[in-house]
């Protein structure tokens, strides 16, 4: 049976401080969580009842073992999560200064194993058959992951729903101009593009939300989703339909992971056949719920939690 969702991209261990408002040098205790945007999106969709899997790589080390165990515990198929001898599993630290300051420190040297995904090792039939296939901009930042990502997209040839999470992380690139040609190529093969204002500007050279959405549609996608932070989210499709949905009021504890929860709920709404506004309202609610919690992967909401937030119009 085909998967509802296969994601491809980053995985790692998030080490988040258990004290908020404390600089990293003074933090005394940390929580350990599965991290990485592609992996978190698979977890988020699994929490909503979808059959999911992730294509990624870890180090051949205890942290790699932990990530396998975490994925299995969340109900995500880990058959395409393979070790890379000689490279450590990435670790990410953050600082937590609510409501809007969450510095990230990526430890992905000398190279992250998830950038060692090789096109020759992909199960391209499974990629083609999945109802939704999700790739990220980070996967385009280095070889062989770049070639593998583009090969998977080309083989899929827009069958089903193919999502490109623009996922711009400046520390993984020399500058936006270096990324744009690869983003342009990926957009040719995708049906849905998702990104915040910085990310859509990297992809299109345009920052104004409506113009950026139009530029993404002109690049070949069928649905453009532009996340505008405090102004909510804009979604525009090739049929001319649009929805602009404000964010839900929430007391933010840690904004990291909110976008991944949004992504998992977006996938769920697309698979369920919801209209644009309903899909965006539920995705916004999912993101807001995770923003009210410390962790990312284990904070992903259930359908009942999202419905409660949508009904209340706020995260309680």
């Amino acid at each position: 049976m085909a998967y509802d969702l296969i994601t491809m991209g980053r995985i790692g261990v998030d080490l988040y401080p258990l004290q908020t408002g404390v600089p990293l040098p003074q933090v005394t205790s940390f929580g350990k969580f599965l991290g990485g945007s592609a992996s978190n999106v698979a977890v988020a969709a699994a929490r909503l009842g979808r059959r999911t899997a992730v294509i990624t790589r870890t180090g051949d080390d205890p942290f790699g073992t932990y990530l396998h165990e975490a994925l299995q515990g969340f109900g995500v198929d880990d058959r395409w999560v393979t070790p890379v001898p000689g490279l450590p599993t990435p670790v990410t630290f953050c600082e937590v200064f609510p409501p809007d300051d969450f510095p990230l420190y990526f430890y992905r040297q000398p190279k992250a194993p998830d950038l060692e995904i090789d096109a020759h090792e992909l199960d391209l039939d499974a990629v083609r058959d999945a109802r939704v296939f999700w790739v990220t901009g980070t996967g385009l930042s280095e070889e062989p992951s770049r070639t593998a990502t583009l090969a998977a997209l080309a083989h899929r040839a827009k069958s089903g729903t193919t999502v490109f999470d623009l996922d711009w992380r400046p520390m993984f690139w020399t500058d936006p101009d270096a990324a744009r040609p690869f983003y342009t190529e990926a957009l040719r093969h995708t049906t849905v593009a998702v990104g915040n204002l910085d990310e859509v500007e990297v992809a299109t050279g345009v920052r104004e939300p409506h113009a950026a959405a139009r530029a993404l549609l002109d690049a070949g996608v069928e649905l453009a989703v532009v996340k505008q932070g405090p102004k909510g989210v804009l979604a525009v499709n090739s049929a001319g339909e649009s929805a602009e949905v404000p964010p839900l009021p929430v007391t933010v504890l840690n904004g990291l992971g909110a976008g991944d929860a949004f992504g998992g709920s977006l996938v769920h709404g697309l698979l369920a056949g919801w209209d644009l506004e309903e899909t965006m309202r539920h995705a916004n609610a999912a993101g807001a719920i995770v923003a009210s919690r410390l962790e990312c992967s284990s904070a992903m909401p259930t359908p009942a939690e999202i419905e409660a937030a949508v009904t209340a119009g706020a995260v309680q």
Side-chain angles (χ1 to χ4, degrees):
M1 184 172 67
Y3 290 89
D4 291 322
L5 169 68
I6 295 176
T7 67
M8 179 175 172
R10 279 204 319 276
I11 196 169
V13 176
D14 287 345
L15 294 174
Y16 286 178
L18 299 182
Q19 297 90 42
T20 61
V22 178
L24 205 55
Q26 280 75 56
V27 172
T28 58
S29 56
F30 296 84
K32 179 183 68 178
F33 308 100
L34 178 146
S37 60
S39 302
N40 279 337
V41 169
V43 170
R47 188 65 59 88
L48 298 175
R50 297 299 177 177
R51 184 170 184 250
T52 72
V54 60
I55 300 169
T56 190
R57 306 196 74 183
T58 70
D60 188 9
D61 54 25
F63 274 151
T65 301
Y66 161 72
L67 293 174
H68 278 279
E69 293 174 351
L71 287 170
Q72 293 165 9
F74 290 128
V76 177
D77 195 321
D78 64 341
R79 70 181 62 195
W80 296 304
V81 182
T82 58
V84 180
L87 291 180
T89 297
V91 174
T92 303
F93 288 89
C94 80
E95 293 175 301
V96 180
F97 296 106
D100 58 4
D101 187 18
F102 307 101
L104 278 171
Y105 304 90
F106 291 96
Y107 291 78
R108 292 169 59 86
Q109 299 299 327
K111 186 178 185 180
D114 54 56
L115 293 173
E116 284 291 313
I117 300 171
D118 192 290
H120 299 96
E121 298 172 356
L122 295 174
D123 186 339
L124 291 174
D125 289 339
V127 166
R128 184 190 59 241
D129 293 343
R131 296 177 68 191
V132 179
F133 180 54
W134 179 290
V135 301
T136 74
T138 297
L140 298 172
S141 65
E142 287 193 44
E143 294 290 4
S145 172
R146 176 185 299 150
T147 293
T149 300
L150 294 174
L153 290 172
H155 184 83
R156 186 167 168 84
K158 292 191 175 183
S159 58
T161 298
T162 305
V163 184
F164 181 22
D165 175 3
L166 302 178
D167 183 42
W168 166 248
R169 303 282 180 170
M171 67 284 295
F172 300 155
W173 296 87
T174 55
D175 58 62
D177 289 340
R180 191 165 292 130
F182 303 113
Y183 275 54
T184 299
E185 177 63 17
L187 287 168
R188 290 183 52 241
H189 301 290
T190 54
T191 62
V192 181
V194 184
N196 61 30
L197 295 177
D198 291 336
E199 291 165 340
V200 298
E201 185 176 16
V202 168
T204 67
V206 180
R207 188 173 183 86
E208 194 282 321
H210 289 269
R214 172 49 54 192
L216 289 168
L217 293 174
D218 290 344
V221 306
E222 298 169 12
L223 172 62
V225 180
V226 181
K227 294 182 282 188
Q228 306 176 78
K231 293 186 177 180
V233 61
L234 168 69
V236 182
N237 66 22
S238 56
E241 301 169 322
S242 65
E244 196 157 7
V245 177
L248 265 67
V250 59
T251 300
V252 174
L253 176 58
N254 184 357
L256 302 173
D260 302 330
F262 181 101
S265 183
L266 169 65
V267 168
H268 182 62
L270 293 172
L271 289 172
W274 295 343
D275 63 31
L276 274 186
E277 183 164 342
E278 183 177 11
T279 300
M280 293 305 115
R281 287 194 183 281
H282 281 73
N284 262 358
I289 290 168
V290 171
S292 73
R293 299 169 176 175
L294 173 65
E295 63 273 25
C296 294
S297 52
S298 55
M300 296 302 172
T302 65
E305 289 173 327
I306 295 174
E307 287 295 343
V310 170
T311 300
V315 177
Q316 302 298 327

